[in-house]
Every structure is written in structure tokens, then in C-alpha cells.
Amino acid sequence: MSRKIALITGGGDCPGINAFLASAVRRGNREYGASFVGVRNAFAGLAADDPEKYLLPLDTESVVGLENRSSTILESSRFNPFTEDNIAKGYPEKMLKNLKHLGIDGVLGTGGNDTILSALRLEERGFPTVMAPKSIDNDVSGTDVMLGFRTAISFGAQAARSTADSARAHRRISLVEVMGRHAGWLALEIGVASGADLITIPEKPVELAGFCAEVGRIYEECRCANIVIAEGTSISYDDPVIVKARKKSDVVRALMEETPEIDAFGNPKLGGISQILRRVLRIELGLKKIEEVRTTDLGFTLRGLAPAADDIILGIRFGIKTADILLGEKRSGVMVGINGLEIEEASFEEALKPKTVHRSDRELQALGVFISSSSQNTRP
Ligand code: F6P
């Protein structure tokens, strides 16, 4: 009997997701005679009171040309049906009931850490689920790269180079902030590829006296400085430079005192560190005007990009492999990934091990990463 598969795309959108969807549908339709339905808003759609309203039937014909499209046609959400609260409210059971009611036999999805964790919980409740990793943060284990990362790097590097050229013309310090949460992959690779003078990553907490001295030295030497800042860069509330800046700048005081909001999976909502560093640098370097330090937040511009060829190919390969596992081999509970040139797979548990930048300080420094002599760690 033909099997019916639900497709979901959870967490932050990114390039390459639609290529995955198109490929999984094509492979599943042609090779295994399966039918597909996209479920909008991921787990929020699956757990809705009226799940029919979230459905988007997909077949080989309707996915023609989808590979090049940006973001995800299925929309996304960070709804977590497995929080203590939501378990108490019966969301997992509701989701299983909906899946049964809709005649769904298995779930294929894309996601980062959080969505893969929910997929694991669904699988533990006996529902066959297979995932493909996506996130511009590149912070899931069991794969060299995730969907979206390569496109984000190439566009991000181009954008950072453009700000660098402008900073040179105006003899300025340019701070380019990028996402990445607690992993520095995005900042590191955009920084290196754009020829940044300095890069900060979450894995290396920043002691500000040393950081400002280094920026000052570069500014003195080149009459401009190009710095890529990871949104998760860690600075201490008690750093003497911050203590001083809190007194001199309302913005620094407000931003340092702001309690970050927390998402459904317990992640703090990051962003804005470059606004603090902008003011700190002005004070520490004794700059006359605030516009001598300019900030650019690349943030969401890297999420909604049309996929580069690398991500289209990866999405297509992930789509084929996930369909083969779920429909051909009738297995589940795994995430597909790429190791070197080969498509492989990892258990959900393996995928959920943290993947941050682990390289020697010597190598990181050679690549331009700022390494403090001491490290304190309280923000974010
Ligand atoms: O997708 C991951 C990510 O891009 C993080 O780098 C960032 O902190 C987060 O998403 C922000 O996402 P949103 O505001 O959509 O929840």
C-alpha cells in the first residue's frame, strides 16, 4: 500500500531547504510510489487543533523548479511540543492523534538542534522520523556542513568585503555582526573569506582592554579596521572596560542590563553585541565621533538567501537519502549528513552533541581570531 509522508521544516529558515523538499518528494514519488504532504509551521502545524489547515500536498509536478527558491515554502516555527508545560497540556498525544487522523506513516524534516531534539522525542514515541540538518550556524554534529551554511558564507563574505571597502574609503572601523548562536563557524569563515583584520567567536571570550588595544593598533597602522563579530561573543559584565562604559554610555548600560528573551527551547535571543562594542571602542580609543565606528548586522540577510549551487546539491542529495532510508530501507531515528564527499547518517543522539569551533589558539590567531590573555565569561 502506498505510504503517506509528512514534510516539516522547523527552526530558523535558510537556503537549501526547498531543494531538499523537492528532491525527497521526487524520489519518494518515483522510486517508492509514496505520497507527500507538507505541514506548514512544523510541529506547531502538526499539533494544531485544525491540522488540515496547515497541509500543502506536494508531488513531482508541483515541486518543479522549487530547488532555487529561498527560505522554505512550508514556513517554520520554533514550537516545542515536548516542554514540560506542553507535555502536561497533552501536545505530544495530540500530535500523534493528528498524524494518525491524517493517515501519515512517517515524517521527513529539516532542522537544527532544536527540531532534531523534537524529532528524537517523536521517534521515541514510536513515530518514524528521519531528518536532514539545516542551519546557517553549522552547529549540529554528525555532518561536516548543514544546509544553508555554504550559501551564508559566500554571500556573507561578499557583504563583509563590501563594508570593508567602504570603511577603507572613509577611514573607519567597521563591525560586522553575524549569527551563529554559541558556535563561531559563521563568523570565522565569513571573517577569513572577507579578509577581516579581526574576528571574535563565542568559543573565545573577549577581554576588552586587550581587544580595544588590538583594534587601536590595527586602526593606527591601516587607518581603518574590519572586524567580524559573532552574535554570541562573550564579554563580562564586570570587565573593567564595561564598568567604565556603563557609566559613560546609556546604550551600553541598557544593553548590558537587558535580560535576553528565551525561546521555546531555552536558547537566549541574541543580537546587538556590536552596538556595545561600537561604543566601547569609541570610549577606549578616544574617537571624536561615533561614526568613526560603524556597525552592520548581517543577521537575517543570510537566512533568506536563494541557495548557492553547493546547497542545492546538498539539499538534493539529502532528499534522496532520507527518502531511501524511510521508504526504501524502512528505517528511522536518524539524521543524514555529509562526511567529506560522502552522504552518511548519524543517530539523533549523535547529531545533538554540541559542535563548536575546536581549533588550536595558534591556528585561530593566525586566521585572525581575537584570543584574550585572560577569559571571563558572562554575556550573553
Ligand atoms: O537559525 C539559527 C539562528 O540563525 C541563530 O543564529 C540565531 O540566534 C537565531 O536563529 C535567531 O532566530 P529567530 O529570531 O528566528 O528565532
Side-chain angles (χ1 to χ4, degrees), residues 310-340:
D310 281 344
D311 276 319
I312 295 178
I313 295 167
L314 196 61
I316 290 174
R317 293 186 76 191
F318 280 175
I320 293 170
K321 184 70 176 177
T322 52
D324 285 351
I325 292 173
L326 187 66
L327 294 161
E329 300 165 31
K330 301 190 172 43
R331 290 188 298 114
S332 59
V334 293
M335 178 199 85
V336 297
I338 184 154
N339 181 356

Side-chain angles (χ1 to χ4, degrees), residues 171-174 215-216 219-220 223 277-294:
R171 302 286 180 202
R172 279 175 176 157
I173 296 170
S174 156
V215 177
Y219 193 39
E220 188 74 30
R223 297 310 304 146
L277 295 178
R278 181 185 193 205
R279 281 142 185 107
V280 160
L281 283 167
R282 184 194 180 183
I283 296 166
E284 290 304 301
L285 302 185
L287 304 173
K288 278 200 203 78
K289 294 179 182 162
I290 187 73
E291 61 261 34
E292 286 187 62
V293 189
R294 282 291 189 188

Side-chain angles (χ1 to χ4, degrees), residues 13-128:
D13 62 341
C14 72
I17 295 176
N18 288 326
F20 165 83
L21 296 174
S23 163
V25 168
R26 233 183 351 253
R27 181 72 171 178
N29 265 185
R30 287 181 179 160
E31 189 72 22
Y32 305 107
S35 63
F36 287 85
V37 64
V39 181
R40 290 187 296 107
N41 290 1
F43 289 103
L46 280 180
D49 290 336
D50 42 6
E52 288 87 355
K53 286 198 182 148
Y54 291 78
L55 303 186
L56 181 68
L58 293 169
D59 60 17
T60 299
E61 207 185 320
S62 60
V63 299
V64 170
L66 187 57
E67 287 84 352
N68 297 309
R69 272 181 63 181
S70 59
S71 192
T72 163
I73 55 159
L74 295 183
E75 304 168 42
S76 193
S77 78
R78 292 196 188 277
F79 176 71
N80 178 0
F82 299 102
T83 60
E84 240 176 77
D85 259 17
N86 286 342
I87 289 174
K89 285 180 190 155
Y91 275 108
E93 287 69 33
K94 192 172 169 192
M95 206 161 58
L96 290 169
K97 212 172 108 204
N98 283 347
L99 284 162
K100 193 166 170 212
H101 165 74
L102 297 169
I104 308 282
D105 302 298
V107 169
L108 283 187
T110 62
N113 284 305
D114 302 332
T115 312
I116 293 170
L117 181 61
S118 296
L120 169 64
R121 299 283 171 254
L122 190 59
E123 177 75 25
E124 284 169 349
R125 280 166 168 77
F127 202 84

Side-chain angles (χ1 to χ4, degrees), residues 80-369:
N80 178 0
F82 299 102
T83 60
E84 240 176 77
D85 259 17
N86 286 342
I87 289 174
K89 285 180 190 155
Y91 275 108
E93 287 69 33
K94 192 172 169 192
M95 206 161 58
L96 290 169
K97 212 172 108 204
N98 283 347
L99 284 162
K100 193 166 170 212
H101 165 74
L102 297 169
I104 308 282
D105 302 298
V107 169
L108 283 187
T110 62
N113 284 305
D114 302 332
T115 312
I116 293 170
L117 181 61
S118 296
L120 169 64
R121 299 283 171 254
L122 190 59
E123 177 75 25
E124 284 169 349
R125 280 166 168 77
F127 202 84
T129 306
V130 177
M131 296 294 292
K134 66 83 233 169
S135 171
I136 63 170
D137 299 349
N138 202 34
D139 57 351
V140 159
S141 290
T143 185
D144 292 346
V145 286
M146 302 168 69
L147 289 176
F149 182 61
R150 287 278 165 245
T151 306
I153 297 300
S154 52
F155 180 85
Q158 215 181 323
R161 268 203 189 278
S162 154
T163 62
D165 288 347
S166 177
R168 213 165 288 125
H170 291 273
R171 302 286 180 202
R172 279 175 176 157
I173 296 170
S174 156
L175 304 178
V176 174
E177 182 170 329
V178 298
M179 288 183 172
R181 211 170 261 167
H182 300 303
W185 299 109
L186 203 57
L188 178 66
E189 297 218 353
I190 288 176
V192 172
S194 65
D197 299 304
L198 211 54
I199 303 163
T200 68
I201 60 174
E203 292 83 350
K204 299 290 162 190
V206 169
E207 171 268 310
L208 286 166
F211 174 76
C212 294
E214 182 61 6
V215 177
R217 190 193 61 70
I218 297 165
Y219 193 39
E220 188 74 30
E221 192 179 295
C222 314
R223 297 310 304 146
C224 74
N226 290 293
I227 305 163
V228 173
I229 310 281
E231 64 172 0
T233 297
S234 180
I235 56 174
S236 168
Y237 191 82
D238 302 320
D239 185 309
V241 171
I242 285 291
V243 173
K244 183 166 133 197
R246 283 199 333 252
K247 288 186 191 132
K248 294 198 166 197
S249 160
D250 293 344
V251 175
V252 173
R253 191 167 51 249
L255 288 174
M256 287 303 294
E257 280 164 15
E258 191 178 56
T259 310
E261 282 181 26
I262 304 293
D263 74 14
F265 288 85
N267 307 299
K269 292 273 179 191
L270 301 175
I273 179 87
S274 56
Q275 294 301 334
I276 298 175
L277 295 178
R278 181 185 193 205
R279 281 142 185 107
V280 160
L281 283 167
R282 184 194 180 183
I283 296 166
E284 290 304 301
L285 302 185
L287 304 173
K288 278 200 203 78
K289 294 179 182 162
I290 187 73
E291 61 261 34
E292 286 187 62
V293 189
R294 282 291 189 188
T295 57
T296 306
D297 188 347
L298 292 185
F300 292 91
T301 58
L302 305 184
R303 291 228 314 227
L305 291 166
D310 281 344
D311 276 319
I312 295 178
I313 295 167
L314 196 61
I316 290 174
R317 293 186 76 191
F318 280 175
I320 293 170
K321 184 70 176 177
T322 52
D324 285 351
I325 292 173
L326 187 66
L327 294 161
E329 300 165 31
K330 301 190 172 43
R331 290 188 298 114
S332 59
V334 293
M335 178 199 85
V336 297
I338 184 154
N339 181 356
L341 296 174
E342 303 307 321
I343 297 294
E344 297 203 338
E345 61 181 74
S347 66
F348 288 155
E349 289 87 349
E350 188 61 31
L352 289 168
K353 291 181 184 158
K355 187 174 86 179
T356 49
V357 175
H358 286 295
R359 297 211 180 129
S360 72
D361 282 2
R362 191 174 151 76
E363 183 185 353
L364 289 176
Q365 232 158 359
L367 289 170
V369 174

